[in-house]
C-alpha cells in the first residue's frame, strides 16, 4: 500500500511541476532606447544593460510581483505593469507604471484589483491604449480593445475565438501571446501559429502562417500549454517581423513578403521568449528552465546584421549554475522529449489525468487484493 501511495504522491508532484511551468509565464519584456541601452525583465526585476556592458537594476524586484511585458516610446519612457496574486481576496492586483529616462517612476494606474477596462502599457503617439481581452481557458472570444485618453473603450478588432482576417468584429483571433507596434503605427500580434497585423482602422491581415512547423534541427519542444508557442515579437524599421517561438526553442524571422526562416536555435535549458529589433540589431531575451523546476535566470543575446551573435548579459549566480549538473539537464531534456509524445494537439493534460487515474486504480486494486488474501 505504501508503495502505491508513493506512486500516487509522485504523480501528483509531477502534475504540480507541470502546473508550475504553465503558471510561470516567463517574462517577454525587452526594449532598447535610442542610445542603445537594453532594458529587460526577469519577471520580478527590471534590468538595465548599458552600452558599456554594465548591468544595473532599474526597478527593484518584489517577491510575487510579475512584470511580463515592457514598452518604450519615442522619448525613451519605459512602461510596465505589475501583476500579483492576493490569496486573501483571490484577486489579481495590478498597476501600470512609467519610468522616465532620468529614472523618475510614476504610476499611470495605482495598484487595484479593479483595473479600468483596456488599461495597458501599449500606447500610440496619441495616447490611445491597446489591450487584448481574452481567456485562454474558456476560448470564447479574443478582442483587441482601444482605450482613448478620455477613457472611451471600443473593440478595434476581434470577436469570437478563431482565425479570420477582416475588419473590426469580422476578424477573429485565437490565443495572443505578444504585441508590438510597427513603424507605420499598426499593431502586430503573435496569435497561435500565426503573426497578425492590425491597422488603425481595424483591418486584420495575416503576415505569417504555419509557424508551428518543425525541422530536423529543432530541439524537443518545450512545454507550452494550449496558448501556442509564439510569445514576444518585434517589428524592424523595414517591416521584418521577429517572433520568439519559445515552444520550439527558436527565433523566427518573417520578411515583408511572408517568407519565414529560423534565425536562431537555442540549446537547453534556454529558450527565446522576447525580442527587440532596433537599428539593424536583434536583441533576444532568453529564459533558462530545466525540468522539473530549475530556473537559471534570463540572458540577453545580440544578433548583428551580419548574423554575429554575442551573449551580452546573464542574470543569476554562477555558483548556482555550476551546481546544476549535466545529469539534471539531460534528465530534463529527456523528460521534455517523452512528454512531447503526449502533448500534441493539447492532449497533455488529458494524458496526465488518465495516467493518475490508472495509477490510483491499480494501487487500489492491489491493496484490495492483498487485504482479501490476509482476510
Amino acid at each position: 500500500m505504501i508503495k502505491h501511495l508513493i506512486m500516487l504522491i509522485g504523480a501528483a508532484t509531477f502534475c504540480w511541476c507541470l502546473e508550475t511551468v504553465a503558471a510561470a509565464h516567463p517574462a517577454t519584456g525587452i526594449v532598447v532606447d535610442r542610445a542603445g541601452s537594453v532594458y529587460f525583465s526577469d519577471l520580478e526585476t527590471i534590468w538595465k544593460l548599458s552600452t558599456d556592458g554594465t548591468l544595473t537594476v532599474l526597478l527593484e524586484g518584489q517577491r510575487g510581483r510579475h512584470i511580463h511585458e515592457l514598452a518604450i516610446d519615442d522619448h525613451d519612457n519605459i512602461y510596465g505593469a505589475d501583476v500579483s496574486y492576493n490569496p486573501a481576496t483571490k484577486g489579481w492586483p495590478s498597476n501600470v507604471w512609467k519610468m522616465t529616462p532620468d529614472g523618475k517612476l510614476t504610476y499611470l494606474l495605482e495598484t487595484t484589483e479593479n483595473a479600468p477596462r483596456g488599461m495597458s502599457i501599449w500606447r500610440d503617439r496619441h495616447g490611445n491604449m491597446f489591450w487584448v481581452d481574452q481567456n485562454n481557458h474558456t476560448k470564447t472570444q479574443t478582442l483587441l480593445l482601444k482605450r482613448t485618453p478620455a477613457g472611451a473603450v471600443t473593440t478595434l478588432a476581434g470577436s469570437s475565438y478563431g482565425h479570420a482576417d477582416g475588419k473590426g468584429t469580422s476578424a477573429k483571433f485565437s490565443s495572443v501571446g505578444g504585441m508590438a507596434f510597427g513603424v507605420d503605427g499598426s499593431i502586430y500580434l503573435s496569435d497561435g501559429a500565426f503573426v497578425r497585423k492590425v491597422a488603425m482602422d481595424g483591418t486584420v491581415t495575416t503576415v505569417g502562417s504555419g509557424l508551428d512547423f518543425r525541422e530536423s534541427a529543432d530541439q524537443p519542444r518545450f512545454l507550452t500549454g494550449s496558448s501556442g508557442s509564439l510569445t514576444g515579437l518585434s517589428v524592424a524599421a523595414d517591416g521584418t517581423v521577429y517572433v520568439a517561438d519559445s515552444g520550439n526553442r527558436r527565433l523566427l524571422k518573417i520578411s515583408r513578403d511572408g517568407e519565414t526562416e529560423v534565425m536562431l536555435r537555442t540549446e537547453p535549458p534556454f529558450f527565446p521568449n522576447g525580442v527587440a529589433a532596433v537599428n539593424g540589431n536583434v536583441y533576444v531575451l532568453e529564459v533558462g528552465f530545466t525540468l522539473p523546476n530549475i530556473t537559471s535566470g534570463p540572458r540577453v543575446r545580440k544578433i548583428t546584421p551580419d548574423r554575429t551573435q554575442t551573449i551580452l548579459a546573464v542574470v543569476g549566480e554562477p555558483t548556482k549554475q555550476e551546481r546544476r549538473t549535466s545529469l539534471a539537464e539531460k534528465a530534463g531534456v529527456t523528460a521534455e522529449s517523452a512528454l512531447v509524445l503526449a502533448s500534441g494537439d493539447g492532449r497533455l493534460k488529458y494524458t496526465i489525468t488518465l495516467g493518475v487515474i490508472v495509477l490510483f486504480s491499480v494501487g487500489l486494486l492491489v491493496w484490495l487484493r492483498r487485504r482479501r488474501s490476509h482476510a
Side-chain angles (χ1 to χ4, degrees):
M1 178 62 183
I2 295 177
K3 175 182 177 182
H4 295 287
L5 181 60
I6 293 174
M7 291 173 61
L8 288 174
I9 294 174
T13 304
F14 178 66
C15 293
W16 175 84
C17 289
L18 293 177
E19 180 65 23
T20 300
V21 175
H25 297 301
T28 61
I30 180 170
V31 295
V32 183
D33 66 18
R34 290 174 294 178
S37 294
V38 182
Y39 305 83
F40 62 96
S41 172
D42 69 1
L43 201 60
E44 292 182 345
T45 301
I46 305 301
W47 298 87
K48 177 181 179 180
L49 178 62
S50 302
T51 54
D52 63 359
T54 302
L55 185 65
T56 56
V57 173
L58 179 73
L59 187 62
E60 191 70 40
Q62 295 179 11
R63 185 67 176 174
R65 178 184 69 184
H66 289 178
I67 306 175
H68 294 278
E69 300 174 298
L70 295 176
I72 192 168
D73 64 20
D74 295 337
H75 304 289
D76 289 340
N77 296 304
I78 298 173
Y79 301 85
D82 294 7
V83 180
S84 57
Y85 177 68
N86 185 347
T89 63
K90 296 184 179 180
W92 294 89
S94 62
N95 60 52
V96 178
W97 51 263
K98 170 184 174 182
M99 180 77 76
T100 62
D102 59 2
K104 181 181 179 181
L105 178 68
T106 58
Y107 285 89
L108 306 179
L109 174 68
E110 296 290 342
T111 302
T112 176
E113 290 188 13
N114 299 294
R117 193 165 187 245
M119 198 74 180
S120 171
I121 68 172
W122 300 105
R123 304 159 59 91
D124 65 13
R125 295 181 177 89
H126 306 290
N128 298 304
M129 297 182 182
F130 299 88
W131 174 252
V132 176
D133 185 355
Q134 65 181 348
N135 188 318
N136 284 322
H137 297 290
T138 62
K139 290 180 169 54
T140 55
Q141 66 176 16
T142 305
L143 308 177
L144 177 59
L145 303 180
K146 176 181 178 181
R147 180 184 177 90
T148 67
V153 180
T154 57
T155 297
L156 179 63
S159 54
S160 59
Y161 187 93
H163 180 93
D165 288 345
K167 187 173 183 179
T169 55
S170 66
K172 295 181 180 181
F173 303 102
S174 57
S175 298
V176 174
M179 178 187 297
F181 281 103
V183 292
D184 61 349
S186 297
I187 295 175
Y188 290 74
L189 305 170
S190 58
D191 175 22
F194 306 89
V195 169
R196 318 288 294 281
K197 175 182 178 181
V198 186
M200 285 299 99
D201 65 355
T203 300
V204 180
T205 54
T206 298
V207 300
S209 303
L211 303 180
D212 55 353
F213 69 91
R214 289 182 55 76
E215 299 175 342
S216 59
D218 291 318
Q219 290 288 334
R221 191 173 65 170
F222 186 76
L223 298 177
T224 56
S226 60
S227 301
S229 63
L230 301 183
T231 52
L233 73 167
S234 183
V235 187
D238 63 356
T240 302
V241 179
Y242 299 88
V243 59
D245 180 5
S246 62
N248 292 306
R249 299 189 190 276
R250 61 192 185 186
L251 177 70
L252 303 179
K253 176 182 177 181
I254 307 171
S255 66
R256 294 184 62 182
D257 58 8
E259 293 186 3
T260 302
E261 66 170 301
V262 178
M263 189 174 185
L264 167 71
R265 287 184 173 90
T266 60
E267 297 290 333
F270 288 98
F271 58 93
N273 213 49
V275 58
V278 180
N279 297 328
N281 298 309
V282 179
Y283 300 84
V284 186
L285 177 63
E286 302 174 8
V287 179
F289 181 86
T290 302
L291 288 173
N293 192 20
I294 301 175
T295 57
S296 52
R299 68 183 184 188
V300 175
R301 183 193 303 263
K302 178 181 179 181
I303 306 176
T304 61
D306 64 359
R307 301 295 180 98
T308 299
Q309 299 184 21
T310 307
I311 300 298
L312 300 180
V314 180
V315 175
E317 300 179 52
T319 54
K320 290 184 179 180
Q321 293 185 26
E322 290 171 359
R323 288 200 296 267
R324 297 190 183 97
T325 65
S326 59
L327 179 61
E329 291 188 0
K330 290 178 180 178
V333 174
T334 302
E336 285 185 21
S337 302
L339 287 167
V340 166
L341 298 176
S343 64
D345 300 324
R347 293 190 296 270
L348 177 60
K349 60 181 179 182
Y350 303 109
T351 304
I352 294 173
T353 302
L354 179 60
V356 171
I357 293 173
V358 170
L359 285 173
F360 178 79
S361 300
V362 170
L364 182 61
L365 288 173
V366 171
W367 178 73
L368 289 173
R369 181 174 297 179
R370 289 183 176 179
R371 185 176 180 180
R372 289 172 181 171
S373 64
H374 292 293

